[in-house]
Amino acid sequence: MTIKILFSAADRHHQEWIPVLNQTFTEFDLDFDLITYADNPTEIDYLLHSPDGPVNDFTPFANLSAIMTLWAGVEDIINNKTIACPLVRMNDPGMVEGMREWVTGQVLRHHLGMDIHINNRSGAWLKETSPPLARSRVVGFLGLGVLGLACLKAVKVLNFQVMGWSRTKREIPDVQTFHGKDGLHHVLGASDIIAMILPLTRETTDLINRDTLKFIKRGTVLINSGRGGLINEEDLLQALDNGQVSHATLDVFKTEPLPVNHPFWLHDKVSIWPHISSESRPQTASISIARNITRNLKGEAMKNVVDFERGY
């Protein structure tokens, strides 16, 4: 029986996704019909969803086996009360690789003090700025999911001291891990560089705020490639101004694109990136989608099904 799959995303995504999905589904021997518009929503078996797509009311799609997101974050959809089937978040190997490369690059940038030399036009020979070795630098990771753990391991290979924090207890071989409120305070206070790779949930919204910033080791660098809502932006600006945080490298913001009049744009201690640390790559993401559909058709459990209570 032919399965009907609806691709619900903005038109700009069609050209890069549709041909790849068609090829991948064919390689997986799926009997499928991939469409971008549903005349009869009740005939749709799987809905591939992006928040910028035309479908955000799932009520007419009464026979869905799953809604499968094209991106890792689910904060834009998880509170949608019209969902009546499993919600599956994207877990794209290409996204993991991209995040690992971006975060590792930013850690090395700040560890080596690259900005000092890149921006030096003074004619001064800044010999005194030689960095310490990685083994003397502590990098703390907030978030130990697939993305966070991949980044932590990559940085650890470079001989940095690493530690990780998660909301609930996790044990990882050869890695110091902490959890809960006290664990967060410890990691903030012990780290020279902090990388945030957390999902946005009720518990993580404004995780970095006036109160938690007090525990940060003075002069720490903050890197956020998780979600903009993890940080209270006004409180961060104050911490940057008083030197508690020496620099913030941000790829995500509460409002995106970042408004032109936002104070981050003119702040010399803020580096702004346009949410490009890691995106779903159709070539690899399509394989994850096809594998989950295949599992579901065989009666097997799909991977990365969202827990609505946990928020991811």
Side-chain angles (χ1 to χ4, degrees):
M1 186 179 86
T2 301
I3 57 172
K4 288 209 168 191
I5 305 170
L6 176 64
F7 182 83
S8 175
D11 291 346
R12 62 189 177 89
H13 297 304
H14 289 196
Q15 185 175 358
E16 61 175 342
W17 279 90
I18 296 298
V20 177
L21 287 167
N22 275 315
Q23 179 180 344
T24 303
F25 292 162
T26 299
E27 291 172 353
F28 271 74
D29 292 324
L30 294 174
D31 182 3
F32 70 98
D33 183 13
L34 178 62
I35 58 177
T36 58
Y37 178 79
D39 291 313
N40 186 353
T42 60
E43 294 180 352
I44 303 301
D45 298 295
Y46 300 92
L47 194 152
L48 310 184
H49 181 267
S50 175
D52 59 10
V55 178
N56 286 294
D57 179 4
F58 303 102
T59 306
F61 299 86
N63 297 312
L64 284 177
S65 294
I67 298 167
M68 312 179 85
T69 67
L70 297 179
W71 320 115
V74 294
E75 65 272 9
D76 292 326
I77 188 175
I78 197 166
N79 295 317
N80 191 316
K81 302 302 182 184
T82 67
I83 296 175
C85 66
L87 175 64
V88 181
R89 61 182 174 82
M90 175 56 66
N91 183 11
D92 170 21
M95 182 183 297
V96 175
E97 290 180 44
M99 182 68 79
R100 181 174 61 209
E101 292 168 9
W102 189 88
V103 170
T104 302
Q106 298 299 340
V107 168
L108 285 171
R109 167 197 165 197
H110 290 294
H111 164 65
L112 295 172
M114 289 183 179
D115 290 11
I116 296 172
H117 302 286
I118 291 171
N119 298 319
N120 180 26
R121 298 294 182 270
S122 67
W125 193 250
L126 303 177
K127 187 76 172 175
E128 69 278 6
T129 61
S130 298
L133 294 175
R135 66 187 181 205
S136 66
R137 197 87 83 176
V138 179
V139 184
F141 288 84
L142 307 187
L144 295 174
V146 173
L147 294 172
L149 190 54
C151 296
L152 181 150
K153 289 180 177 179
V155 169
K156 188 174 188 295
V157 166
L158 296 173
N159 212 29
F160 286 95
Q161 298 179 54
V162 297
M163 58 178 60
W165 177 86
S166 53
R167 200 169 54 80
T168 56
K169 186 176 181 179
R170 286 205 61 182
E171 293 184 1
I172 301 169
D174 300 320
V175 176
Q176 280 190 298
T177 58
F178 303 85
H179 68 283
K181 185 177 180 180
D182 290 341
L184 175 64
H185 294 167
H186 177 80
V187 173
L188 293 178
S191 302
D192 301 296
I193 300 172
I194 297 168
M196 303 181 66
I197 317 169
L198 285 159
L200 186 63
T201 67
R202 291 188 299 272
E203 290 78 13
T204 62
T205 297
D206 284 346
L207 182 72
I208 298 300
N209 57 51
R210 183 173 302 177
D211 293 331
T212 53
L213 282 163
K214 294 175 183 176
F215 291 91
I216 282 184
K217 181 178 180 180
R218 188 166 183 83
T220 290
V221 169
L222 187 64
I223 300 169
N224 186 16
S225 56
R227 284 294 181 263
L230 299 173
I231 296 175
N232 183 302
E233 293 178 347
E234 292 183 0
D235 292 349
L236 175 59
L237 282 166
Q238 185 176 351
L240 289 163
D241 289 338
N242 65 28
Q244 189 71 14
V245 175
S246 65
H247 196 96
T249 292
L250 309 174
D251 184 56
V252 287
F253 306 88
K254 288 192 173 181
T255 301
E256 295 181 6
L258 188 65
V260 67
N261 60 347
H262 197 288
F264 280 162
W265 282 113
L266 297 178
H267 204 293
D268 61 356
K269 295 181 180 179
V270 177
S271 297
I272 296 170
W273 292 70
H275 203 149
I276 58 171
S277 58
S278 186
E279 294 187 344
S280 297
R281 270 72 169 177
Q283 288 76 12
T284 48
S286 61
I287 296 173
S288 296
I289 294 169
R291 283 176 175 163
N292 252 339
I293 290 176
T294 301
R295 288 189 191 96
N296 190 243
L297 292 174
K298 290 180 178 179
E300 300 173 1
M302 292 180 289
K303 293 189 175 182
N304 306 305
V305 175
V306 171
D307 183 329
F308 284 86
E309 287 298 316
R310 296 178 68 185
Y312 58 93

